Amino acid sequence: MDPLAAIKATYFQECDEQLAELETGLSAMKDGEGDDETVNAVFRAAHSIKGGAGAFGLENLVQFAHVLETTLDDVRAGRLAPDGDLVNLMLRASDMLSDHVNAARDGNPVDQARSETIARELENYNEATKSGSAESDDEFDIDFAPIAVTMSEGDAAAEAAALGVREWEIQFRPRTSLYAHANEVTLLLRELQRLGTLSVDLIYGDLPSLQDLVPEESYLAWIIRLQADCDESRIREVFEFVEDDCDIHIQCISTCAGEIEVSHAQPEPKEVIVPQVPGISTAQADEPAPAKATMPMPLPANSANAPAEEEKHAPAVVSPQTIRVDVDRLERLVDLVGELVINQAMLAQRSMESGLSRASSFANGLEDLEHLTRDIQDSVMSIRAQPVKSVFQRMTRLVREVSAATGKRVRLVTDGENTEVDKTVIERIADPITHLLRNAIDHGIEKPDIRIAAGKPAEGVVRLSALHRSGRIVIEVVDDGAGIDRKRVKAIAVEKNLISADVNLSDEEIDNLIFMPGFSTASSVSEVSGRGVGMDVVRRNIQSLGGRITISSRPGLGSTFSLSLPLTLAVLDGMVISVCNQTLVIPLSAVVETLRPKEGDLHELKGSAPLIRIRDLYVPIIDVGRKLGHRTEPLVPAAGVALFVESEGGGRAALLVDAIQGQRQVVIKSMEANYRKVDGIAAATILGDGRVALIVDVESMLAGQSVDMFRSEKRAAAG
Amino acid sequence: MSEAFTNQENSRTELISFRIGAQEFCVDVMSVREIRGWTATTPLPHAPNYVRGVINLRGVVLPVIDLGGRLGLSMTDPTARHVIIVTRIGNQIVGLLVDAVCDILTVSQNAIQTTPDLEYDTNKTFVRGLLPIDGRMISLITLENVLPAEAKAA
């Protein structure tokens, strides 16, 4: 990758973070939780995206980001009140911005019409504030004029502030680090110029002779005079990214005198009111009632903004430091630590075998080593763990779009966003969650009028939550909609020939029908769901992750879809079994139950595998030893143990094995890396004794069985 | 193949020679990662008989091929004194079960004779050339075809 492309890639990564920040902030504002810091954070996010886009010449992105940024700036400055409509608009704009970012990254076209509509709506707001503030300025003038005569000089300052143009003197001395951070003074000056008329003096007195000059040192300083109708925070903003790397002193010259006298005139301590002009005007407003009446409405909000601004500049905001690491390196580390753990276990076993006393110092050392390796393993795994937040955040947009498309009012409530799970899992849960949420809104939540008629609030609530439960992550999608329409589900299943019309099914069995392949509530194929991907695919995806999905639904009250997933895909919960003196592992997620076959439950059918009755279900017995070619003579079922398994595709069988050794978490190793795909084997793992054990592929075990016959039974029982 | 040799007429290569039964073979030293003693393998289902199974090589699942069996000689009955030569073939790592490792040979490329046409196909598939060393004949093995053919397709 050439350097520019690499920088660009980093920029887009950062964009994702900024977009997430934007979304979080706006959502908080929507819920009325946003304080000034939220607004600032949102503004900074939009600002950074725009800044980077400008550097890469991404014109579309810059333009759109600029419009959004302007609006946010108005909100930040208190010129615009972030009411519901505006926040909603900004949320849509943030979606659009994300589209623009994606477009810039992947070269896909964006919905230009939509972009323009949103931009125009935003601009309308911007226009409104401009004209609005102009108006209030006028009013201010008119109303203020007669008062000003009787006022102290302090009011003159306020007047000047309101009138706008003032002269600022900025003493700016960059430190070496400013240049080291790739900032450039020219750009800052250019930015200042946008605020008003600029006159710049270069102070080069410190410049040594060429001989003594260190090229990387900073010797220059500037004195900048700026005539502009802005407040100090606006100027500070220009230096926002370099403020830690320079000495800067900003002073208002033209109104300075007034300012100082204001502080004398006021009982408040000087430092409160000096630095921020808006602070003065409001402090001023407390005293003469008429002035207060003439204040433009949003201004008081700005005074609250001032201390917040101060806080922001203080180092109090400590964000955790992060570094980006290549995933491959991490994988390698995880692999190595896995080996270390196995090696340590082997070493311990060998030392016991060699008759070493447990009390010996060597054994103690080994024990310490064991603790250490465990700790290392835990820390390494935690490096790969990420909060599900990244996935959850994407969902707010989805919910917005789906609810708009279906004409329903839906609020998404998320919970447990900081629940951590392995990166490999994170990547693969987004699709199932997306699908479940779509379903919940499309099929679960009712239209507002129906909800009101049912005595529920017009706005439906979909709750997305994550939590850790006994070594797994549980993700729930809960809606307060109508629940599963069991009559209709059953009718569809009958119509699609998935079940026969006369079977009696429990409520739970009916609910589970929606997971059957070929089941889709086709009468309502909308653009939202019904994209040909059914719930069966969701279930298969979840199961291929070693997870399970369950439903519970109450008519009129809503449905709950619950996903239970392993915390990582690098390890697997397995049942360790033996077959013909070989040790094998069967994924625990496939095992429904284990049993000892009794003679009476066995049934022989001509020309097919023997069947075993498990409660009221007949399933074929698969002799694992024979299937894998470890033995030629079949194992007598009663001499072994049967594992009742269910494959991802919904097939069921009883796997006959010699014995069960126990349950264990195993690290998954690929067979394909150095060999090839082996029929009946999913992967390999290394056991504590250092031997390789094969992990059985339940799906392919079941394939090639004559399944038709028992499938009809399975259907009757609603698999 | 012969062109490849003429290009490197004068370059010298290092080869590792090893023994299977009474015969001596060698492979390019660059393709050898390490040499280790025999450890019991985990047999693979549905594998050809010369695939002995897999072992754990410091966390890597390593398939072990009985090279004697693969070359059409007799199958090896491995003991603790047998040796697994860990080789890199393409981007895979494969273990070769042999009786013993003999020597490291430094030879010039033009000392390698091309394999004469013989009636057995296995010779053409696996033997790239012959080396006369001290009156012994050592066959230079190519490793590309050592894994079962389907492995490449997979």
Side-chain angles (χ1 to χ4, degrees):
Chain A
M1 206 189 275
D2 69 277
L4 186 66
I7 296 170
K8 215 166 168 177
T10 311
Y11 163 66
F12 282 125
Q13 277 173 3
E14 282 167 2
C15 269
D16 286 343
E17 286 162 21
Q18 305 287 6
L19 284 168
E21 183 94 347
L22 196 63
E23 173 110 35
T24 317
L26 287 173
S27 300
M29 284 163 71
K30 188 181 177 184
D31 298 340
E33 292 163 3
D35 52 12
D36 293 320
E37 183 46 38
T38 319
V39 181
N40 282 325
V42 169
F43 174 80
R44 275 197 303 270
H47 184 72
S48 305
I49 292 174
K50 182 182 109 173
F56 293 109
L58 305 168
E59 274 310 318
N60 276 344
L61 184 53
V62 175
Q63 274 171 18
F64 191 84
H66 177 73
V67 179
L68 179 60
E69 189 196 356
T70 314
T71 314
L72 283 166
D73 191 35
D74 283 343
V75 173
R76 190 166 77 137
R79 287 189 290 272
L80 265 180
D83 58 3
D85 285 346
L86 179 59
V87 174
N88 276 334
L89 174 62
M90 287 196 291
L91 274 166
R92 277 197 290 139
S94 103
D95 292 347
M96 196 62 228
L97 188 64
S98 148
D99 282 355
H100 273 292
V101 169
N102 287 338
R105 170 169 42 202
D106 308 328
N108 300 327
V110 287
D111 186 346
Q112 203 60 42
R114 190 169 152 239
S115 164
E116 275 162 22
T117 319
I118 294 173
R120 208 169 308 126
E121 281 181 53
L122 283 172
E123 269 160 4
N124 286 341
Y125 269 101
N126 300 349
E127 290 298 321
T129 50
K130 254 184 224 158
S131 54
S133 62
E135 265 169 42
S136 51
D137 275 359
D138 289 347
E139 282 170 26
F140 195 78
D141 280 348
I142 296 160
D143 287 345
F144 201 81
I147 305 164
V149 193
T150 57
M151 283 284 157
S152 64
E153 298 101 311
D155 297 295
E159 185 186 16
L163 280 172
V165 180
R166 279 172 298 164
E167 188 165 356
W168 297 90
E169 187 182 86
I170 304 155
Q171 294 173 8
F172 173 56
R173 178 178 290 278
R175 291 185 207 132
T176 311
S177 57
L178 181 135
Y179 299 106
H181 293 157
N183 292 300
E184 208 184 308
V185 177
T186 331
L187 295 177
L188 294 168
L189 294 178
R190 199 177 294 162
E191 195 67 28
L192 276 178
Q193 201 167 21
R194 289 194 189 168
L195 298 175
T197 325
L198 210 60
S199 78
V200 183
D201 286 319
L202 176 65
I203 310 297
Y204 51 87
D206 291 347
L207 202 62
S209 66
L210 195 56
Q211 235 170 319
D212 304 325
L213 185 126
V214 182
E216 272 145 26
E217 266 304 323
S218 166
Y219 300 106
L220 301 175
W222 284 263
I223 291 181
I224 303 153
R225 283 201 177 73
L226 173 69
Q227 288 183 332
D229 68 335
C230 62
D231 53 39
E232 188 181 330
S233 66
R234 197 62 203 269
I235 298 171
R236 289 249 173 230
E237 202 174 278
V238 173
F239 296 96
E240 186 175 6
F241 293 111
V242 297
E243 62 193 357
D244 296 334
D245 297 324
C246 64
D247 299 314
I248 188 160
H249 183 73
I250 301 174
Q251 203 177 7
C252 179
I253 316 173
S254 63
T255 53
C256 258
E259 223 170 296
I260 288 159
E261 268 159 276
V262 169
S263 61
H264 288 307
Q266 294 291 327
E268 277 94 347
K270 188 176 167 183
E271 51 270 26
V272 175
I273 41 173
V274 169
Q276 298 286 339
V277 174
I280 301 164
S281 40
T282 40
Q284 201 56 34
D286 289 341
E287 205 178 71
K292 190 178 184 179
T294 57
M295 281 292 172
M297 267 313 284
L299 263 178
N302 204 4
S303 71
N305 203 14
E309 196 84 358
E310 287 299 305
E311 274 167 32
K312 192 191 80 193
H313 292 313
V317 186
V318 184
S319 59
Q321 286 208 336
T322 56
I323 53 165
R324 292 172 201 283
V325 180
D326 194 340
V327 176
D328 286 347
R329 292 192 191 177
L330 218 52
E331 305 276 291
R332 174 93 188 112
L333 188 62
V334 171
D335 273 4
L336 282 172
V337 170
E339 287 157 34
L340 182 66
V341 170
I342 292 163
N343 217 295
Q344 176 271 324
M346 269 162 62
L347 207 57
Q349 202 171 334
R350 295 281 148 78
S351 75
M352 293 326 265
E353 281 166 9
S354 65
L356 211 66
S357 132
R358 270 187 186 280
S360 71
S361 60
F362 185 72
N364 284 338
L366 273 178
E367 217 162 276
D368 289 346
L369 180 67
E370 186 180 338
H371 284 137
L372 271 176
T373 42
R374 286 276 148 75
D375 285 354
I376 294 175
Q377 192 178 33
D378 287 350
S379 341
V380 168
M381 292 315 274
S382 76
I383 295 179
R384 299 213 318 178
Q386 290 186 324
V388 290
K389 199 171 178 177
S390 60
V391 173
F392 278 21
Q393 260 169 355
R394 274 187 263 167
M395 298 305 156
T396 38
R397 172 177 187 177
L398 176 95
V399 168
R400 241 182 346 260
E401 287 180 350
V402 174
S403 51
T406 51
K408 294 171 181 175
R409 287 179 53 195
V410 184
R411 188 157 52 94
L412 179 72
V413 179
T414 54
D415 206 8
E417 291 177 317
N418 291 322
T419 311
E420 287 192 332
V421 67
D422 195 80
K423 190 180 175 341
T424 45
V425 179
I426 291 249
E427 283 160 3
R428 293 172 65 181
I429 56 170
D431 278 357
I433 293 179
T434 306
H435 207 85
L436 289 176
L437 279 177
R438 274 211 191 105
N439 251 339
I441 299 168
D442 202 19
H443 300 304
I445 302 285
E446 316 90 326
K447 291 231 154 71
D449 45 333
I450 300 174
R451 286 183 66 88
I452 290 168
K456 296 198 244 183
E459 189 180 54
V461 175
V462 177
R463 183 177 206 89
L464 178 61
S465 63
L467 63 118
H468 282 155
R469 191 182 290 157
S470 54
R472 289 170 82 81
I473 182 169
V474 177
I475 295 173
E476 283 190 340
V477 175
V478 184
D479 66 68
D480 67 345
I484 290 176
D485 185 347
R486 298 196 171 111
K487 243 185 215 154
R488 196 158 133 247
V489 166
K490 194 176 170 189
I492 289 168
V494 172
E495 182 192 320
K496 301 223 167 198
N497 219 7
L498 299 170
I499 53 167
S500 51
D502 50 353
V503 286
N504 247 330
L505 300 179
S506 70
D507 286 351
E508 199 192 332
E509 284 168 338
I510 296 177
D511 291 348
N512 277 301
L513 285 174
I514 64 171
F515 289 122
M516 292 195 70
F519 182 94
S520 172
T521 43
S523 68
S524 66
V525 173
S526 59
E527 65 163 304
V528 178
S529 12
R531 289 184 185 188
V533 191
M535 291 296 282
D536 59 318
V537 178
V538 173
R539 179 158 83 159
R540 205 173 311 143
N541 286 345
I542 296 297
Q543 283 178 334
S544 72
L545 292 175
R548 284 182 183 280
I549 180 167
T550 48
I551 321 176
S552 67
S553 180
R554 288 162 72 194
L557 294 175
S559 315
T560 300
F561 289 84
S562 179
L563 310 178
S564 157
L565 293 159
L567 291 178
T568 170
L569 295 184
V571 297
L572 171 125
D573 280 316
M575 184 168 279
V576 184
I577 55 162
S578 29
V579 171
C580 312
N581 297 325
Q582 293 297 322
T583 303
L584 294 171
V585 178
I586 292 181
L588 203 58
S589 60
V591 180
V592 180
E593 63 177 283
T594 61
L595 54 143
R596 281 212 173 270
K598 291 190 208 74
E599 278 299 337
D601 292 337
L602 301 170
H603 299 266
E604 201 82 31
L605 280 177
K606 274 229 177 325
S608 103
L611 298 180
I612 185 170
R613 187 167 66 97
I614 298 172
R615 296 202 192 86
D616 290 329
L617 206 64
Y618 287 94
V619 297
I621 296 181
I622 297 172
D623 184 336
V624 176
R626 262 184 91 190
K627 184 93 180 170
L628 295 180
H630 288 322
R631 72 173 129 227
T632 46
E633 280 305 302
L635 179 71
V636 181
V641 181
L643 308 178
F644 180 32
V645 294
E646 195 177 57
S647 79
E648 287 159 20
R652 291 173 179 186
L655 299 183
L656 190 64
V657 302
D658 293 13
I660 295 176
Q661 293 181 13
Q663 289 179 12
R664 193 170 306 167
Q665 259 199 353
V666 297
V667 179
I668 299 170
K669 301 276 176 186
S670 150
M671 284 296 295
E672 286 93 328
N674 291 320
Y675 190 58
R676 55 170 160 155
K677 178 109 190 71
V678 179
D679 228 19
I681 299 301
T685 187
I686 293 163
L687 295 179
D689 61 1
R691 295 272 312 255
V692 177
L694 303 177
I695 301 173
V696 175
D697 182 355
V698 174
E699 187 86 31
S700 81
M701 274 281 167
L702 266 58
Q705 291 287 323
S706 53
V707 288
D708 289 342
M709 185 192 52
F710 79 94
R711 176 161 289 169
S712 57
E713 282 187 5
K714 176 181 71 91
R715 278 177 184 161
Chain B
M1 208 176 278
S2 53
E3 304 90 304
F5 287 143
T6 47
N7 286 341
Q8 311 168 341
E9 198 80 4
N10 301 314
S11 65
R12 298 176 73 80
T13 23
E14 283 192 308
L15 305 166
I16 284 187
S17 74
F18 50 87
R19 200 168 46 74
I20 301 172
Q23 292 195 43
E24 266 190 80
F25 301 88
C26 61
V27 291
D28 191 331
V29 79
M30 296 309 289
S31 59
V32 176
R33 299 245 313 204
E34 65 179 276
I35 294 162
R36 50 182 294 132
W38 164 259
T39 41
T41 58
T42 302
L44 295 173
H46 316 299
N49 61 351
Y50 56 81
V51 177
R52 299 298 305 216
V54 286
I55 60 165
N56 163 25
L57 178 75
R58 291 186 304 280
V60 175
V61 176
L62 180 84
V64 177
I65 307 284
D66 183 339
L67 193 59
R70 184 60 174 139
L71 296 177
L73 312 168
S74 64
M75 295 290 287
T76 315
D77 184 17
T79 65
R81 300 181 60 182
H82 283 77
V83 168
I84 293 171
I85 303 178
V86 181
T87 58
R88 173 171 283 279
I89 306 175
N91 47 20
Q92 292 187 311
I93 298 171
V94 178
L96 304 176
L97 170 63
V98 301
D99 286 1
V101 169
C102 308
D103 206 353
I104 292 183
L105 311 167
T106 310
V107 297
S108 67
Q109 282 286 4
N110 53 14
I112 303 170
Q113 299 174 10
T114 45
T115 323
D117 272 341
L118 294 170
E119 50 200 300
Y120 293 115
D121 272 349
T122 43
N123 283 322
K124 281 190 207 147
T125 318
F126 302 112
V127 180
R128 196 171 81 178
L130 299 174
L131 277 170
I133 303 264
D134 302 337
R136 294 170 295 163
M137 186 190 80
I138 303 177
S139 314
L140 176 61
I141 302 284
T142 59
L143 296 172
E144 283 82 52
N145 300 317
V146 163
L147 276 183
E150 308 93 304
K152 295 205 149 177

